Amino acid sequence: MDENAETIVLITPLLKRMWPAPGKENVTAAEIAAAISHIFTNSLTPVQTGALLTALHFTGLDRQPEVLSRCAQAMRNASSQIDKKVLREVISKRGRKEGSYRGGLCDIVGTGGDSHNTFNISTTSSIIASSLLLIAKHGNRASTSKSGSADLLRSIAPKAPILENVTPTSIAEVYSNTNYAFLFAPTFHPGMRYVAPIRKELGWRTIFNLLGPLSNPVDSTGQISASSSSISLVEARLIGVARKDLGGAFAQSLVLSGARKALVVCGDEELDELSCAGPTHCWMLREKPNPDFKGSPHEEDDDLTTSDEEAPPRNLVNIENFTLSPSDFGFPEHPLSTVGPGKEPSENAETLLRILRGEMGDDDPLMHFVLINTASLFVVSGICDGDSSSMGGGDDGKVITEKGPGGGRWKEGVRRARWAIKSGAALRELERFIEVTNAL
């Protein structure tokens, strides 16, 4: 065991109740989360950790919404803590409100493991979206593909960002200089090093493959009651899951954790992105006014927390199900073979720069793939809800008000994503991120 390990905790009684029929013994999500939390302090033996992950996997407990929500909170609690008051102050100054976007942080991430090994779509989309949104991209090295998000960014030439320089103490300074930050998982979740070799030896997907997208370390939400009004630093997120049967569980876990704006997606091919090849199954979290709210209906809902946690919240969050197709974005369908397989990180980095420099054709299948996913993050953030726009040079301000499935202005999202590339705004944000991480 590690010399910094706490006293070893025995979870044998819990393991006995979890296997083989956990329902009969009423194993709670809180108990499971407490056991998971011991992993981050190296307080379980490798055998116990392996047994816990195995039991969760084969009983299906790791796909239950409350288990996901509570374990994600345990993982965030164990992360390297950020001064969120300072960070909130920086966000409030830099974030630009537009439509129903409040200027908060946004993330786009996938669970991985879909076996399609496509190009780094979510990372590319996160950079493009940073032209208009504050992005907190949570990511890591590759585990099941050739090129993970961290591998891609490290391969940018001639000068790459130094990802390890984005830390809990420096992140506010990063956002003082750019809309983009990459939160490298090993830096913010040091306790994960204790479980890494065990996950590798087990050889199958564990709950940690699912917790990553739910455990952005700047997220301040926790397991809350329906009456709580706590507001997260992460305002909106787009999460891709590699199996359709996970979509509803992820959406429900986000509601339990207090998320207000989110879109969970799974391509019909079991793809953890919005698909360019056909339908994408969607679960959208949408806020609606709460008829029991007692405050003024005109009062600004800012990034504050009410003092009365038991008071009815201003809004309630519902989950809406629908499907999206490339045609909803104004595009034809493209087989996944035309946008993959993903290549080595250096090759993907060259492709990324071609896209950001406007060197890729407007109708290239990969360009459509990237635009679909970027547009969706714009829609979820609420920035497409306004009736006019003032993005900057090259923007005529003519909003596409057409609504598609789920009531989203998906084509307006594409218009904004194209502007971000053609105006050079996305490339400038990446260049600022590279400069500030090299200067830290």
Side-chain angles (χ1 to χ4, degrees), residues 111-122 141-149 151-152 205 242 269-273 276 335-345 347-348 366 369:
T111 59
D114 60 15
S115 301
H116 290 291
N117 194 31
T118 55
F119 176 71
N120 298 94
I121 296 295
S122 63
R141 307 179 188 90
S143 58
T144 58
S145 64
K146 292 182 181 179
S147 176
S149 51
D151 305 311
L152 172 74
R205 294 174 59 75
E269 313 84 358
E270 307 286 21
L271 176 73
D272 70 337
E273 318 274 7
C276 63
L336 290 183
S337 60
T338 64
V339 295
K343 300 179 180 179
E344 297 300 323
E347 296 175 280
N348 283 354
L366 183 56
F369 197 9

Side-chain angles (χ1 to χ4, degrees), residues 26-268:
N26 193 28
V27 175
T28 68
E31 288 179 295
I32 294 170
I36 288 289
S37 69
H38 291 310
I39 293 174
F40 306 125
T41 56
N42 202 23
S43 301
L44 298 183
T45 66
V47 170
Q48 286 194 108
T49 297
L52 175 62
L53 298 182
T54 299
L56 287 171
H57 179 81
F58 286 104
T59 59
L61 285 168
D62 61 0
R63 276 91 78 193
Q64 291 187 359
E66 189 173 5
V67 171
L68 287 170
S69 177
R70 287 189 178 272
C71 289
Q73 179 62 22
M75 188 168 170
R76 291 194 299 270
N77 288 344
S79 67
S80 300
Q81 295 302 296
I82 298 165
D83 188 333
K84 289 173 181 171
K85 180 180 179 181
V86 172
L87 182 55
R88 193 180 294 276
E89 291 173 353
V90 173
I91 292 170
S92 66
K93 292 177 182 177
R94 188 170 187 90
R96 188 180 75 175
K97 298 181 180 180
E98 187 175 353
S100 60
Y101 172 54
R102 303 184 185 106
L105 299 176
C106 303
D107 191 11
I108 175 171
V109 62
T111 59
D114 60 15
S115 301
H116 290 291
N117 194 31
T118 55
F119 176 71
N120 298 94
I121 296 295
S122 63
T123 308
T124 302
S125 292
S126 71
I127 295 169
I128 297 172
S130 71
S131 58
L132 299 173
L133 309 176
L134 292 181
I135 298 294
K137 175 71 174 109
H138 187 213
N140 207 341
R141 307 179 188 90
S143 58
T144 58
S145 64
K146 292 182 181 179
S147 176
S149 51
D151 305 311
L152 172 74
L153 293 173
R154 283 172 163 168
S155 299
I156 292 174
K159 191 180 200 179
I162 302 177
L163 303 183
E164 290 80 2
N165 281 352
V166 182
T167 67
T169 55
S170 70
I171 190 169
E173 184 177 350
V174 172
Y175 280 120
S176 295
N177 292 275
T178 176
N179 290 347
Y180 190 82
F182 184 86
L183 283 62
F184 187 39
T187 299
F188 288 85
H189 294 288
M192 284 295 292
R193 68 184 184 274
Y194 300 124
V195 73
I198 299 169
R199 293 172 64 192
K200 187 175 182 180
E201 286 187 42
L202 287 176
W204 56 70
R205 294 174 59 75
T206 72
I207 191 171
F208 288 108
N209 295 88
L210 307 180
L211 293 182
L214 299 172
S215 303
N216 191 312
V218 297
D219 196 348
S220 59
T221 55
Q223 179 81 15
I224 65 174
S225 67
S227 63
S228 175
S229 299
S230 177
I231 296 178
S232 170
L233 284 172
V234 179
E235 178 177 344
R237 66 200 88 199
L238 172 58
I239 298 179
V241 295
R243 285 169 32 199
K244 291 188 282 289
D245 63 354
L246 288 173
F250 261 69
Q252 291 174 48
S253 73
L254 287 168
V255 173
L256 289 171
S257 295
R260 295 180 171 196
K261 295 178 182 176
L263 180 65
V264 179
V265 300
C266 182
D268 199 49

